[in-house]
Amino acid sequence: MIARFKDLCLDAADPLALGAFWARVLDGDVADAGDDDTRVDPRSARSDAESIWVNQVPEPRTGKTRVHLDLRMADAEPAALLAAGAQLVRTPSRETTWWVLDDPEGNPFCAFPASEGTRPGPFALVVDSADPAAQATWWAGVLGGTVEFGSTNASVIGATGFPWDYWEFDAVPEPKTVKNRLHWDVELADPEPMALITAGATLLREPLDEAHWWWVLADPEGNEFCAFAPRPTG
């Protein structure tokens, strides 16, 4: 294991408003993260890895978002999500059982109807991929877990620190062209990310200063993620 999953980060033009939306959706609390950023902490979270940091960025959202969450709703239909401010993009069809919605800043997510024996909230992190099998295998090599292969996707199950059921990589025809608005953070096993780079990650940015003390890297298909040194113990 090179690292463990840490949390999600969402770029925003208005972190307070977008954080408030996701807090309603996830039945969470909004915390002030400083520098005009917020953090959404779901009240039923089983670990800190379910928190979403909502960070202000100057650039607007452009291009297709290649990372999104799949949510299980508390109800059969997404009326509560629409009332919270989501926009309906697509309804279920003969081939699908879920709704596609956008949050108030245009970030898509999928909403599945309530199901007996499951809890409301996220159950999968989904990433568009050119080669889902290679991507899932690479991330399982970094965070541990096993890979399940489908006809057009592959999923990592049981990655270290990962708080949801599936980390799914879906095949899409179009290439990545813009920075992901939603990305994940990892906590390293070592003080520096050399093992990640040796494994095939690309270093995009060294730590800037004491306030920005993490590395920014990209996986083999260019998905940005941040890597943090291990937390002190004892």
Side-chain angles (χ1 to χ4, degrees), residues 21 24-25 75 77-88 101-102 104 109:
F21 167 81
R24 287 187 66 181
V25 168
D75 305 307
E77 296 190 355
L81 299 175
L82 298 173
Q87 297 295 314
L88 181 64
L101 302 105
D102 281 347
F109 62 98

Side-chain angles (χ1 to χ4, degrees), residues 4-227:
R4 65 182 291 116
F5 189 92
K6 184 175 180 291
D7 48 40
L8 290 178
C9 292
L10 179 61
D11 289 352
D14 186 340
L16 184 60
L18 194 58
F21 167 81
W22 279 104
R24 287 187 66 181
V25 168
L26 301 178
D27 187 28
D29 298 310
V30 179
D32 182 355
D35 296 327
D36 297 320
D37 297 339
T38 60
R39 189 185 69 244
V40 177
D41 298 325
R43 297 187 186 103
S44 62
R46 292 167 290 192
S47 76
D48 291 345
E50 292 190 53
S51 292
I52 300 177
W53 295 75
V54 187
N55 300 324
Q56 188 169 50
V57 295
E59 66 274 7
R61 182 183 178 276
T62 58
K64 181 189 177 189
T65 295
R66 293 176 68 87
V67 183
H68 72 266
L69 284 170
D70 282 354
L71 310 179
R72 183 73 64 186
M73 296 183 293
D75 305 307
E77 296 190 355
L81 299 175
L82 298 173
Q87 297 295 314
L88 181 64
V89 176
R90 193 180 73 215
T91 58
S93 65
R94 290 183 179 180
E95 293 77 27
T96 64
T97 59
W98 59 89
W99 287 261
V100 180
L101 302 105
D102 281 347
D103 73 13
E105 291 199 5
N107 301 298
F109 62 98
C110 295
F112 289 70
S115 178
E116 186 175 353
T118 63
R119 66 169 187 153
F123 67 90
L125 178 64
V126 184
V127 186
D128 289 355
S129 306
D131 188 339
Q135 279 288 95
T137 300
W138 191 83
W139 276 104
V142 170
L143 299 183
T146 59
V147 180
E148 292 184 354
F149 300 97
S151 59
T152 61
N153 59 31
S155 299
V156 181
I157 311 296
T160 305
F162 192 77
W164 304 298
D165 297 332
Y166 304 101
W167 192 353
E168 184 175 317
F169 296 86
D170 283 351
V172 297
E174 67 276 0
K176 183 177 185 294
T177 58
V178 297
K179 175 182 178 242
N180 291 331
R181 299 286 283 188
L182 180 65
H183 75 264
W184 53 91
D185 295 339
V186 302
E187 182 180 307
L188 300 167
D190 297 325
E192 296 189 350
M194 286 309 301
L196 268 174
I197 295 168
T198 300
T202 300
L203 180 63
L204 301 179
R205 197 195 75 195
E206 297 273 3
L208 295 177
D209 49 41
E210 291 185 1
H212 304 83
W213 45 277
W214 55 87
W215 293 264
V216 180
L217 301 102
D219 71 13
E221 288 199 1
N223 296 300
E224 303 87 0
F225 66 98
C226 295

